[in-house]
Amino acid sequence: MSNSEFIKALIEYRFIDPVWEYVAKYLLKDYVDDEVMKIFSLYFVFVSSGSSCMPLEKELLIKEWKNKCEGNIILLSSLIEDEEEKKILEDKISNIYLCGKDALINIDRLNKLDSIIGDNKLFIIYNNYLYARKYFIAKNGIKNSIERLFINYFDNINIDFDIKSIWLTASKEQEQFINNGINKNLVLCGGPGTGKTTAVFYLLLALLKAHSNYNIYLTAPSGKASSRIKESIDGEIEGFIRNNPDNHNYDREINILRNVNKYTIHKLLEIDYSTNEFIYNENNQFDNNSIFIIDESSMIDICIFDSLLKAIPIGARVFILGDKHQLPSVECGAVLADLLSYNPLKNNIVELTKSHRFIEGSDVYKLSMEVNLGNEVTNLDFKSFDDFNIVNRLIPKENETKEEKLIRQQNSYPVFFYEEKEESKKRFEDIISEWGIHFYSNYEKLCTNVKFDENELTSIYKNIDEARVLCAENKGKLGVSNINNIIKNKVINNKNTSIKGFYPGIPLMITENNKALDLDNGDTGIIISFENCETLYFLVSKTSKLYPKDSDNIDDKVLKLGNYLLYPLRMLDLNKVIYAYAITIHKSQGSGYNNILVVLPKKSGHPLLNRQIIYTAITRTKGPSYIISNIDRINEAIKNISYRYTRIFD
């Protein structure tokens, strides 16, 4: 098999992204022969799986390559029903494996490729790992920036802040974060509901009390995540005012925090489209009287993290937030995991461990603890998978005792479990249909002939996060596309529409940034139609500098009303939106839903059965969780930790 054939096969069987064919064809072919090019193609496999470097130890590399091939056989065969086609698939990938394995015999030749490997060349070998130059630069840039920004001390002796006087329920861990954060830049990690944002809010009050001229930047890797950190800060403001009605000592600080803006990291750094470079960079940094709250750091890839840190000057305050148990970024890197394992940073790390979202003793709490501890699930009291009307948020009773309250709270987070069996295809579709009818059957009526009124938009939009199906895969019977179509066909009745395939009441997610419309990858909304108007609109809750003023009336253009933007559906690239009854677990990061249905792969050895996947999925809930899997696959996922080769601090 020639390298050209090898790369095409890697693309066809989902080992690498198509862009790497261009890299091999136009950047590498003049430097290396066919056999060595195959080794670089294997590096592309590692990068496409999220690693930024590849080990050059031959035995380890062959083992990793074999595991990858076996995983892809399982991944792709799950999309095929015909046994003969499965056999053909296995034979094809077996040939790909042997071709790659044979190429690795020549791995020592990389050390002699001075024309392409070395300082200022396309690739670099460092400590027996192969890096593309851009990832090596990012690795070193992050290490240098962390040492520049974190291994220092801020002499804020003028801040006299008694946290208990305004926050009686602060935990010792939260107090530690605030007390340390006054004088040090920090990494704050913790699971959902552990109070990361609350602790940040009170730290900001303390810092603003002493230095009111700070510029505060709330940033995260996605539009959804940046919106949530802003919403959380706004919620803390309202809670503070409610709990301290007579305390006006912080009016100025509260007013500053009300007006803080949120940004995706890309928007914060601002792209100069004439050069395709960020405007803010190491040569044009932000002011040093700035505070950066960087949320959902587990989702940040290595290159954008490097760019962000380089743009932050010495003297600025930096607080990096994340959940160490969540999935890493879609692109290369595992930056939060690397930060937490870097020994010189140990005094700059605070971990919050007590969850305020999940009551101790509840099913979700117990399951998430077992997952994180790596324990097999053997004795959890899963409830039966009957229907989706069992829990109604359990309204408090009058004069209930402490014991009754605890039981009610524990029962607010049940886990329902349905064991998926080989012969149960129809039952699976029935469950998905029942879920759709229960949670989405009123959406079409709710979103048709809507009045142009902010209160009405609010009553519609509050349904967006009521329920979500979370899948490990995009394709196949258990994938996002199939489940979205099953639900759509069950709940949409009026098939007359101005745009084929799109109807009022269908939730949508944007899958790619759209600068012209100021829409971000991950923005989620719903299709509506206004009364006496045939135009379909995409309703989304967000602010935008492009659309600052409320619209006076309905028109076939982008409309703004209060906290909502409405885009005529014809203006969107419909190839870059998906139905959002179901989304991937990756896309759900940073979000929370009142009810979740988790669909896990059922084939042993599936590469998406890992601890980070299952933890991220089950902790998206604000109430009941339903899981379609079987107990063996859950335990297999718990044992399997997804690992990436990044070695930032090597």
Side-chain angles (χ1 to χ4, degrees):
M1 190 185 295
S2 70
N3 183 66
S4 176
E5 294 169 329
F6 186 54
I7 284 187
K8 288 184 183 301
L10 292 177
I11 293 171
E12 180 180 357
Y13 293 101
R14 291 171 60 175
F15 286 90
I16 64 173
D17 300 321
V19 67
W20 295 112
E21 183 177 20
Y22 171 88
V23 172
K25 188 174 182 180
Y26 294 102
L27 297 182
L28 302 184
K29 70 182 181 70
D30 293 334
Y31 297 99
V32 297
D33 60 35
D34 238 29
E35 288 307 302
V36 173
M37 184 80 87
K38 289 174 185 175
I39 299 174
F40 284 105
S41 299
L42 292 176
Y43 173 71
F44 303 154
V45 172
F46 275 76
V47 171
S48 295
S49 299
S51 293
S52 56
C53 58
M54 180 179 80
L56 298 182
E57 184 185 332
K58 191 181 299 184
E59 295 303 317
L60 173 61
L61 193 50
I62 290 174
K63 180 182 176 182
E64 292 277 14
W65 175 230
K66 182 180 180 183
N67 290 340
K68 181 64 180 172
C69 289
E70 290 174 350
N72 271 37
I73 288 174
I74 293 168
L75 177 69
L76 297 178
S77 64
S78 67
L79 310 180
I80 301 171
E81 294 191 4
D82 184 81
E83 292 301 320
E84 188 62 33
E85 288 184 30
K86 287 184 180 181
K87 181 66 171 63
I88 293 171
L89 170 73
E90 290 176 12
D91 291 342
K92 292 277 189 181
I93 294 183
S94 293
N95 288 335
I96 292 171
Y97 165 70
L98 292 174
C99 182
K101 183 182 177 183
D102 290 344
L104 292 176
I105 295 172
N106 300 306
I107 198 165
D108 292 340
R109 290 181 59 191
L110 294 182
N111 294 309
K112 301 175 183 178
L113 295 176
D114 296 340
S115 60
I116 194 172
I117 296 178
D119 293 344
N120 300 316
K121 303 292 175 59
L122 286 173
F123 293 88
I124 291 166
I125 292 177
Y126 181 76
N127 282 353
N128 210 32
Y129 284 82
L130 177 68
Y131 295 81
R133 182 167 178 262
K134 77 168 188 173
Y135 295 127
F136 190 75
I137 290 172
K139 155 194 158 54
N140 286 337
I142 291 170
K143 183 179 180 181
N144 293 337
S145 292
I146 290 297
E147 291 174 351
R148 174 174 59 85
L149 295 171
F150 280 77
I151 314 301
N152 57 20
Y153 184 86
F154 297 85
D155 188 10
N156 282 324
I157 58 174
N158 59 324
I159 297 181
D160 182 17
F161 190 69
D162 180 11
I163 183 61
K164 284 296 188 180
S165 66
I166 54 173
W167 187 16
L168 291 173
T169 59
S171 69
K172 288 184 179 180
E173 295 165 344
Q174 289 167 323
E175 283 189 75
Q176 178 192 359
F177 170 73
I178 292 165
N179 292 331
N180 288 353
I182 286 172
N183 296 303
K184 287 191 291 190
N185 289 339
L186 298 175
V187 177
L188 177 65
C189 67
T194 51
K196 297 189 294 293
T197 308
T198 309
V200 165
F201 167 75
Y202 282 99
L203 175 57
L204 290 174
L205 284 185
L207 294 175
L208 289 171
K209 197 69 174 172
H211 306 283
S212 61
N213 63 338
Y214 274 127
N215 301 309
I216 301 174
Y217 301 99
L218 305 178
T219 188
S222 71
K224 180 76 170 178
S226 65
S227 294
R228 286 190 70 84
I229 183 67
K230 171 62 173 169
E231 290 166 6
S232 297
I233 292 292
D234 289 344
E236 295 298 337
I237 290 171
E238 299 310 313
F240 179 82
I241 293 171
R242 189 167 55 249
N243 295 328
N244 300 275
D246 300 321
N247 188 339
H248 299 288
N249 294 330
Y250 292 91
D251 284 353
R252 179 176 58 85
E253 291 76 23
I254 289 295
N255 189 53
I256 292 170
L257 291 176
R258 280 192 193 280
N259 293 291
V260 167
N261 289 321
K262 47 87 177 176
Y263 307 84
T264 63
I265 297 174
H266 282 86
K267 283 187 178 179
L268 178 64
L269 297 176
E270 294 187 43
I271 293 178
D272 180 345
Y273 284 92
S274 64
T275 63
N276 207 32
E277 301 287 339
F278 287 121
I279 292 173
Y280 289 98
N281 52 54
E282 59 189 325
N283 299 314
N284 180 41
Q285 295 179 323
F286 292 93
D287 292 337
N288 61 5
N289 64 325
S290 300
I291 301 176
F292 296 85
I293 308 299
I294 305 169
D295 199 18
E296 296 293 351
S297 58
S298 65
M299 297 166 57
I300 305 175
D301 72 77
I302 188 173
C303 292
I304 192 66
F305 193 54
D306 176 41
S307 296
L308 173 59
L309 294 181
K310 282 178 177 172
I312 299 175
I314 291 176
R317 306 308 314 274
V318 185
F319 303 101
I320 301 174
L321 283 57
D323 183 348
K324 66 181 182 181
H325 298 296
Q326 275 198 179
L327 285 162
S329 60
V330 174
E331 303 296 333
C332 283
V335 296
L336 180 59
D338 286 325
L339 290 173
L340 296 178
S341 63
Y342 186 42
N343 193 57
L345 263 186
K346 65 182 180 182
N347 293 325
N348 297 78
I349 295 170
V350 177
E351 182 173 4
L352 305 182
T353 57
K354 182 175 175 56
S355 175
H356 303 280
R357 178 185 295 183
F358 305 130
I359 305 300
E360 288 190 30
S362 67
D363 287 355
V364 168
Y365 177 84
K366 290 187 287 186
L367 180 56
S368 63
M369 289 296 292
E370 296 296 290
V371 170
N372 287 340
L373 292 171
N375 295 335
E376 282 197 0
V377 175
T378 56
N379 59 354
L380 286 184
D381 183 23
F382 286 118
K383 295 170 176 58
S384 62
F385 208 114
D386 297 306
D387 60 52
F388 306 113
N389 200 30
I390 297 170
V391 175
N392 59 1
R393 309 298 294 169
L394 295 166
I395 300 167
K397 300 175 183 177
E398 269 190 63
N399 303 318
E400 66 181 354
T401 65
K402 272 189 176 182
E403 290 75 15
E404 288 173 332
K405 180 180 180 181
L406 179 61
I407 291 170
R408 174 175 58 79
Q409 290 175 328
Q410 289 176 344
N411 288 338
S412 294
Y413 299 94
V415 173
F416 298 87
F417 179 74
Y418 172 71
E419 183 160 4
E420 171 78 326
K421 295 184 174 65
E422 289 294 331
E423 68 276 8
S424 58
K425 178 179 178 180
K426 183 178 185 305
R427 179 58 184 142
F428 172 79
E429 292 185 356
D430 287 345
I431 289 171
I432 297 301
S433 298
E434 290 164 15
W435 174 274
I437 291 168
H438 183 79
F439 287 111
Y440 308 119
S441 59
N442 66 325
Y443 278 25
E444 184 177 21
K445 182 178 180 181
L446 188 69
C447 295
T448 303
N449 295 327
V450 175
K451 293 179 181 177
F452 191 62
D453 175 81
E454 185 179 359
N455 290 331
E456 184 147 352
L457 297 184
T458 298
S459 70
I460 292 171
Y461 202 80
K462 69 182 182 182
N463 291 276
I464 288 289
D465 290 337
E466 178 61 19
R468 196 75 87 239
V469 181
L470 306 180
C471 306
E473 302 174 88
N474 268 308
K475 297 180 179 179
K477 187 191 86 169
L478 306 181
V480 165
S481 297
N482 182 50
I483 290 173
N484 274 322
N485 283 322
I486 291 172
I487 294 175
K488 188 246 322 183
N489 292 333
K490 278 291 178 183
V491 301
I492 298 297
N493 298 307
N494 183 6
K495 297 300 193 288
N496 297 319
T497 183
S498 58
I499 301 178
K500 185 178 179 181
F502 294 88
Y503 310 91
I506 293 182
L508 295 181
M509 175 180 282
I510 304 295
T511 60
E512 191 171 306
N513 294 337
N514 185 326
K515 177 180 177 289
L517 295 177
D518 203 8
L519 283 168
D520 299 307
N521 182 4
D523 280 345
T524 303
I526 197 164
I527 302 173
I528 70 166
S529 67
F530 289 112
E531 54 187 3
N532 303 316
C533 178
E534 292 186 0
T535 302
L536 296 179
Y537 289 87
F538 173 60
L539 167 68
V540 62
S541 175
K542 66 180 297 168
T543 56
S544 169
K545 291 181 180 178
L546 293 181
Y547 312 102
K549 295 182 180 179
D550 278 5
S551 304
D552 295 325
N553 49 52
I554 300 170
D555 202 350
D556 190 13
K557 62 182 182 182
V558 179
L559 306 173
K560 179 182 180 298
L561 193 57
N563 295 318
Y564 302 101
L565 289 175
L566 297 122
Y567 296 84
L569 207 57
R570 62 171 181 78
M571 295 177 68
L572 304 185
D573 183 343
L574 298 181
N575 293 315
K576 296 173 182 175
V577 302
I578 59 169
Y579 299 158
Y581 302 111
I583 60 175
T584 62
I585 295 167
H586 262 103
K587 288 284 189 184
S588 75
Q589 289 189 98
S591 299
Y593 310 101
N594 293 336
N595 300 269
I596 60 168
L597 173 60
V598 179
V599 182
L600 295 175
K602 63 181 181 180
K603 186 75 172 176
S604 179
H606 196 290
L608 293 177
L609 276 175
N610 59 63
R611 190 181 299 180
Q612 292 98 320
I613 279 273
I614 191 171
Y615 170 82
T616 301
I618 64 176
T619 55
R620 296 311 92 205
T621 187
K622 296 178 182 177
S625 301
Y626 301 82
I627 301 175
I628 298 181
S629 182
N630 67 60
I631 208 71
D632 289 339
R633 296 296 81 75
I634 288 177
N635 284 326
E636 183 179 334
I638 289 171
K639 292 176 187 174
N640 180 25
I641 300 176
S642 178
Y643 179 77
R644 293 180 171 187
Y645 291 95
T646 54
R647 306 184 71 82
I648 288 176
F649 298 108
D650 182 13

